[in-house]
Amino acid sequence: MLRPYPAVLQKLFDQNFGSGRIQVMNFGIIGYSSFHGLRVLRREVLAYDPDYVIIRFGWNDLLASPTGKSFASVHNPWLERLEDLAYRSRLFALLMYRGVPLGQTGMRTEGDGGGPVPWVTEVEYAWNLSRMIDLARAHGAIPILLDAPAAPITPEMRANKLFIASTGFESFEQYLAAHDRYQVITERVAAEKDVQFLRTAPSPEEAPKYFTAFDIPHPNQAGQDRIAYRLNAELTPTLVRKMRR
């Protein structure tokens, strides 16, 4: 059974600091984009008063939207509060996830001209990341952005026509070009916000052993371990200093 990198990081912290002294909470949900992640941060994560908020997006955002519309966040703190109140309705939350248009707080049609209409446009992706950073800081947490590297394309992967068709792109090259744009945005937002951008991507020569054989985005267990060890190495010195105070 695959252990995601937050679970691996928890084990490392337990070994380094003692069981239960540091808690790692995983709020990642399969299929969620930065649009959903922003709402999870507002409605769930910040209630725990975290010391760090680790942000990793950049794959689901660029996939083709089945509704032909992109998710657009509300860009107003007051509307955010109203939206969070509305999310207490399970039906509303389900509709927002499924992509049903809901007026000004729902979605807007917007393509990028270089592929399918994405779940989250490049402009909205940058805004979502920026807003997550601002909210984390406003609650006293330190935000960290992670990269989301791609697996090398193998001949077997190219032969899997179903996979590339499921993304909405016409070719692997178009798909990866979109991914590169979103990764550039992640790094740019980190620089603009003066937030740490943590690279976990292996070298091209080592990359095959860190990803599943089935698709491009997903790390295998070795890849999950790599992300956790990278975070552990980055966070441990600061955590040690805090515990000595």
Side-chain angles (χ1 to χ4, degrees):
M1 182 177 178
L2 185 73
R3 291 183 305 160
Y5 70 86
V8 180
L9 184 60
Q10 180 69 73
K11 183 178 179 179
L12 293 172
F13 282 164
D14 287 346
Q15 292 171 350
N16 295 339
F17 300 103
S19 180
R21 295 195 68 190
I22 298 176
Q23 186 177 16
V24 179
M25 302 185 71
N26 182 6
F27 289 90
I29 299 176
I30 294 174
Y32 271 23
S33 67
S34 64
F35 172 90
H36 303 99
L38 174 57
R39 281 144 185 80
V40 171
L41 178 70
R42 292 197 326 247
R43 293 165 38 232
E44 301 179 37
V45 177
L46 296 177
Y48 289 91
D49 293 323
D51 294 306
Y52 292 90
V53 173
I54 310 301
I55 302 169
R56 186 180 190 268
F57 291 98
W59 277 112
N60 291 333
D61 296 82
L62 60 87
L63 296 179
S65 171
T67 65
K69 296 177 182 291
S70 296
F71 282 82
S73 298
V74 295
H75 293 201
N76 182 295
W78 291 103
L79 290 178
E80 284 183 342
R81 293 188 184 97
L82 290 175
E83 187 179 77
D84 289 343
L85 287 173
Y87 260 96
R88 295 180 181 178
S89 162
R90 293 185 178 180
L91 176 60
F92 184 88
L94 178 63
L95 290 176
M96 288 296 286
Y97 174 75
R98 293 298 181 187
V100 177
L102 293 171
Q104 295 300 317
T105 61
M107 290 142 285
R108 57 196 172 123
T109 302
E110 185 174 342
D112 62 8
V117 175
W119 278 105
V120 177
T121 67
E122 295 173 31
V123 171
E124 285 294 315
Y125 178 67
W127 194 91
N128 290 337
L129 294 182
S130 297
R131 184 61 178 154
M132 282 188 266
I133 290 168
D134 291 343
L135 286 172
R137 282 175 164 165
H139 283 74
I142 299 173
I144 297 176
L145 293 184
L146 297 184
D147 61 355
I153 303 175
T154 63
E156 293 79 12
M157 205 178 289
R158 284 192 180 278
N160 185 0
K161 303 299 184 182
L162 182 62
F163 167 70
I164 195 62
S166 70
T167 69
F169 290 89
E170 296 178 357
S171 67
F172 280 94
E173 286 71 24
Q174 190 184 59
Y175 178 45
L176 289 176
H179 168 258
D180 289 345
R181 293 196 301 272
Y182 280 73
Q183 288 298 284
V184 168
I185 291 169
T186 306
E187 191 168 5
R188 188 194 76 214
V189 169
E192 291 173 351
K193 291 289 186 177
D194 194 22
V195 168
Q196 185 172 9
F197 178 71
L198 198 59
R199 299 180 186 277
T200 65
S203 67
E205 296 76 23
E206 294 183 323
K209 65 183 181 183
Y210 290 111
F211 290 90
T212 68
F214 308 108
D215 60 21
I216 293 177
H218 296 105
N220 58 18
Q221 189 59 66
Q224 299 286 348
D225 292 347
R226 180 184 177 87
I227 298 170
Y229 276 92
R230 186 74 180 87
L231 282 166
N232 179 63
E234 190 63 36
L235 296 176
T236 292
T238 303
L239 292 172
V240 168
R241 289 194 295 270
K242 285 185 176 182
M243 289 186 169
R244 286 176 176 171
R245 292 175 183 172

